[in-house]
């Protein structure tokens, strides 16, 4: 019997990142109806339930692995597959009725893996051949919208929580494509919408998961959250104008221009780099704590890791863009050191302070001067940002080190949680923002009535625009030859 066998996919960093969002150890699940498969088809199964608390909500995964004899016929594979999915759907319906927190925003997915046992030469003459014969081989299979219209009809009514079904191969291909927990969450929302649309129109809205995730990643809707944060930053006067890179990338996606693919590759590179750097920052801080026997942190480091990895594709792109433009700064700026305030474009309340250490050992921005003060810098910034939604300040102390013609990055880290404002504090903050806005408007009105002031303002604006244009680099080529240094 010939089967299509899949190879191990490139899982990417997302599967590793998801681990830090796991709420508890996986629990074994018994599925009603699977005993018949085990008896009639000489099969075995393992089902495990995982619960994740992602940045945007709750994700629950039911991983079902079914072991079948290699000589199982195609018709029997299809029959077993349907019984297994029905069993998983029945379990999900029961668990949903027993879940007291089922009103929480979340998505649920079944990851269904079929492995064939004994796919070698049955006439094996030695131990090595015997191992090959007994080896597991993963069956390549898919579902898609058509399956739930023609083979297994499922109620896809809007407003109801649904168990989305993926094959093992499709799920990890999706994970490798979307790269971040935030994009995975949005894809699941998009995927569910497409399934519901197929159910109401009775026409499959997509033929394969690969094509659907490609369509999702090519849509300008990918940047809807970043645009919302960008607009809120302007409203809160945390920045003066829209992010030029965001404008350029969104426009390229809308027009499906040739540069859209280039931007997408840049974001994928940035997502991987940020994942690598984030994990190393946490590891480095943990090692320092161990060496210094320091127990200052009130929260586990995994909480810090969640903040760093909670950034979207575009947000990671902007953080990496800020890091990797440092070698292009003037020699004097690199020598003295400088500070950059960067925003998360995934969460309005998460802000970054990037301190690029100066090369002068006794300088104001030297590593020796700044590194012991990272926590205090975070607290100072938190008190000066009049953003009601503010919840975390992340300070990065960045050191570019050149050794034997090779350049590395060392990054010191401190993450400062910010207490939620009381209702009174919210009211006062809004009043201050209104007064500040009125003051700015008044100054603008006064400057227009004074010719000299207008001239000075025009000159200042000219210099600002010149600097602003120099800062705009929507086409970013990331230098992958500058990794984080592994050994200190």
């Amino acid at each position: 019997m010939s089967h299509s066998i899949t190879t191990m996919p490139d899982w990417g960093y997302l599967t590793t990142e998801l681990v830090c969002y796991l709420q508890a150890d996986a629990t074994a699940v018994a599925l009603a109806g699977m005993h018949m498969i085990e008896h009639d088809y000489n099969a075995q199964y393992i089902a495990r339930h995982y619960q994740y608390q992602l940045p945007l909500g709750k994700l629950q995964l039911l991983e079902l692995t079914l072991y079948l004899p290699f000589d199982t016929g195609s018709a029997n594979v299809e029959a077993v597959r349907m019984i297994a999915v029905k069993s998983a759907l029945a379990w999900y319906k029961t668990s949903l009725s027993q879940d007291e927190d089922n009103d929480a925003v979340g998505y649920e997915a079944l990851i269904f893996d079929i492995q064939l046992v004994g796919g070698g030469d049955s006439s094996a003459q030695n131990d090595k051949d015997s191992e090959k014969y007994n080896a597991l081989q993963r069956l390549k299979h898919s579902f898609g919208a058509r399956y739930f219209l023609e083979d297994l009809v499922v109620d896809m009514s809007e407003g109801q929580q649904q168990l989305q079904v993926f094959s093992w191969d499709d799920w990890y291909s999706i994970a490798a494509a979307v790269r971040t927990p935030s994009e995975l969450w949005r894809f699941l929302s998009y995927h569910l919408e497409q399934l519901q649309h197929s159910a109401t129109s009775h026409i499959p809205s997509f033929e394969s998961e690969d094509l659907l995730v490609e369509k999702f990643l090519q849509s300008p809707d990918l940047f809807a959250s970043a645009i919302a944060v960008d607009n809120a930053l302007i409203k809160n006067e945390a920045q003066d104008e829209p992010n030029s890179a965001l404008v350029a990338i969104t426009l390229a996606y809308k027009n499906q221009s040739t540069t859209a693919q280039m931007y997408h590759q840049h974001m994928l590179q940035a997502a991987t780099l940020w994942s690598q750097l984030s994990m190393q920052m946490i590891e480095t801080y943990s090692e320092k704590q161990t060496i210094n026997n320091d127990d200052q942190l009130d929260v586990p480091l995994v909480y810090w890791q969640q903040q760093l990895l909670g950034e979207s594709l575009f947000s990671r792109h902007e953080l990496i863009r800020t890091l990797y433009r440092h070698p292009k700064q003037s020699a004097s700026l690199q020598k003295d050191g400088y500070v950059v305030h960067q925003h998360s474009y995934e969460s309005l309340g998460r802000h970054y302070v990037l301190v690029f250490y100066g090369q002068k050992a006794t300088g104001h921005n030297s590593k020796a001067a700044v590194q012991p003060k990272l926590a205090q810098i975070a607290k100072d910034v938190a008190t000066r940002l009049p953003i009601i939604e503010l919840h975390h300040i992340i300070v990065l102390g960045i050191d570019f080190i050149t050794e034997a013609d090779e350049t590395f990055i060392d990054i010191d880290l401190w993450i400062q949680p910010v207490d939620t404002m009381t209702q009174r504090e919210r009211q006062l903050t809004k009043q201050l923002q209104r007064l500040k806005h009125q003051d700015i408007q008044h100054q603008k009105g006064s400057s227009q009535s004074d010719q000299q002031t207008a001239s000075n303002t025009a000159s200042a604006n000219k210099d600002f625009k010149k600097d602003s244009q120099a800062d705009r680099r929507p086409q970013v080529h990331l230098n992958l030859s500058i990794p984080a240094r592994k050994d200190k």
Side-chain angles (χ1 to χ4, degrees):
M1 179 64 202
S2 177
H3 293 290
S4 178
I5 305 300
T6 183
T7 57
M8 291 288 288
D10 178 11
W11 290 3
Y13 281 88
L14 176 55
T15 51
T16 304
E17 292 183 19
L18 286 178
V19 173
C20 77
Y21 295 100
L22 191 62
Q23 295 299 288
D25 293 337
T27 56
V29 172
L31 300 178
M34 294 298 289
H35 63 279
M36 182 182 70
I37 294 178
E38 291 180 307
H39 180 268
D40 294 349
Y41 297 93
N42 192 25
Q44 291 181 326
Y45 82 96
I46 297 175
R48 293 188 178 93
H49 183 229
Y50 298 82
Q51 297 188 58
Y52 302 89
Q53 186 59 49
L54 300 187
L56 296 176
K58 188 177 180 180
L59 171 63
Q60 299 190 67
L61 299 182
L62 175 61
E63 291 194 357
L64 171 60
T65 303
L66 180 64
Y67 301 94
L68 289 173
F70 188 82
D71 58 359
T72 303
S74 298
N76 286 339
V77 169
E78 284 302 316
V80 166
R81 208 166 72 124
M82 182 172 291
I83 294 171
V85 172
K86 285 182 177 180
S87 296
L89 290 170
W91 170 86
Y92 172 68
K93 186 176 180 180
T94 301
S95 65
L96 197 62
S97 64
Q98 298 173 349
D99 186 3
E100 297 178 355
D101 193 33
N102 60 9
D103 291 332
V105 177
Y107 294 108
E108 297 80 18
L110 167 65
I111 318 303
F112 188 14
D113 183 18
I114 300 177
Q115 298 193 27
L116 305 177
V117 183
D121 182 3
S122 59
S123 60
Q125 299 297 316
N126 53 53
D127 291 342
K128 187 173 181 179
D129 289 338
S130 179
E131 288 178 9
K132 180 180 178 182
Y133 175 69
N134 292 313
L136 300 175
Q137 299 188 62
R138 182 165 280 113
L139 179 68
K140 186 175 180 63
H141 66 115
S142 295
F143 292 97
R146 187 178 298 276
Y147 182 83
F148 295 100
L149 285 178
E150 300 176 357
D151 299 313
L152 180 59
V153 179
V154 177
D155 182 11
M156 286 289 176
S157 303
E158 293 187 18
Q160 293 186 9
Q161 290 180 284
Q162 306 287 345
L163 182 67
Q164 302 183 55
V165 181
F166 301 91
S167 70
W168 185 94
D169 194 59
D170 282 340
W171 176 257
Y172 285 103
S173 293
I174 290 167
V178 299
R179 297 293 175 101
T180 76
S182 296
E183 265 68 39
L184 175 62
W185 177 271
R186 294 190 179 100
F187 174 75
L188 289 173
S189 174
Y190 179 70
H191 183 265
L192 183 57
E193 289 174 1
Q194 295 301 309
L195 289 174
Q196 291 172 339
H197 177 70
S198 300
T200 55
S201 65
H202 303 290
I203 300 174
S205 56
F206 62 96
E207 290 299 326
S208 71
E209 301 293 352
D210 286 341
L211 292 176
L212 186 65
V213 74
E214 182 180 349
K215 182 179 177 181
F216 166 76
L217 291 172
Q218 291 176 351
S219 170
D221 293 340
L222 193 66
F223 306 101
S225 178
I227 292 171
V229 171
D230 200 45
N231 291 335
L233 289 169
I234 295 172
K235 183 179 179 181
N236 284 281
E237 299 177 357
Q239 67 183 41
D240 299 322
E241 58 185 10
N243 183 310
S244 58
L246 180 58
V247 173
I249 293 175
T250 304
L251 188 62
Y253 272 63
K254 284 182 178 179
N255 297 332
Q256 293 295 296
S257 67
T258 54
T259 56
Q261 186 59 35
M262 178 192 70
Y263 288 135
H264 186 66
Q265 290 302 316
H266 289 171
M267 288 192 293
L268 295 183
Q269 287 180 333
T272 299
L273 282 168
W274 183 251
S275 185
Q276 292 171 341
L277 289 172
S278 297
M279 292 177 184
Q280 183 167 2
M281 280 186 265
I282 296 296
E283 182 181 352
T284 301
Y285 187 89
S286 178
E287 290 173 353
K288 287 180 179 178
Q289 274 196 310
T290 302
I291 293 173
N292 299 330
N293 195 23
D294 188 359
D295 297 323
Q296 292 182 1
L297 277 186
D298 296 328
V299 295
L301 280 177
V302 68
Y303 182 75
W304 279 22
Q305 195 169 12
Q306 290 171 2
Q307 294 301 316
L308 294 171
L309 298 178
E311 301 297 354
S312 63
L313 283 174
F314 179 76
S315 199
R316 295 184 186 202
H317 175 271
E318 289 303 276
L319 288 163
I320 292 296
R321 189 165 78 113
T322 304
L323 280 174
Y324 280 80
R325 59 181 296 204
H326 173 76
K328 298 182 180 180
Q329 300 289 3
S330 65
S332 61
L333 202 59
Q334 293 187 43
K335 182 179 179 180
D336 295 335
Y338 57 96
V339 179
V340 176
H341 175 209
Q342 183 60 275
H343 323 287
S344 167
Y345 284 89
E346 177 61 21
S347 175
L348 177 61
R350 186 164 52 237
H351 287 250
Y352 291 80
V353 179
L354 287 77
V355 183
F356 290 86
Y357 295 138
Q359 297 171 354
K360 293 190 298 184
T362 59
H364 179 70
N365 288 326
S366 68
K367 183 172 184 176
V370 176
Q371 188 183 47
K373 302 177 182 177
L374 295 183
Q376 187 58 48
I377 291 172
K379 292 177 182 178
D380 290 344
V381 172
T383 60
R384 297 179 186 182
L385 274 178
I387 297 178
I388 293 173
E389 295 82 0
L390 188 66
H391 56 77
H392 283 89
I393 299 293
I394 300 176
V395 182
L396 305 180
I398 303 157
D399 195 13
F400 276 72
I401 302 169
T402 301
E403 294 179 352
D405 297 327
E406 288 188 301
T407 302
F408 303 92
I409 302 178
D410 273 353
I411 302 181
D412 297 313
L413 171 69
W414 182 266
I415 300 181
Q416 182 66 44
V418 180
D419 293 335
T420 303
M421 287 187 180
T422 64
Q423 185 62 32
R424 178 60 177 164
E425 289 172 333
R426 289 175 180 270
Q427 292 173 351
L428 290 173
T429 300
K430 287 182 179 180
Q431 290 176 6
L432 287 172
Q433 289 174 337
R434 283 196 296 267
L435 289 171
K436 185 177 180 181
H437 180 73
Q438 291 172 2
D439 185 54
I440 292 173
Q441 294 300 317
H442 176 73
Q443 290 178 4
K444 287 182 178 179
S446 299
S447 66
Q448 291 175 355
S449 63
D450 190 313
Q451 184 64 37
Q452 184 61 39
T453 303
S455 176
N456 292 338
T457 302
S459 177
N461 285 340
K462 182 177 180 181
D463 292 339
F464 173 79
K465 289 180 180 179
K466 182 178 179 181
D467 293 340
S468 178
Q469 288 171 355
D471 185 56
R472 294 174 183 172
R473 299 191 307 111
Q475 296 188 15
V476 182
H477 296 278
L478 301 177
N479 184 355
L480 301 182
S481 65
I482 308 181
R485 188 170 63 162
K486 294 183 178 180
D487 299 316
K488 291 197 173 185

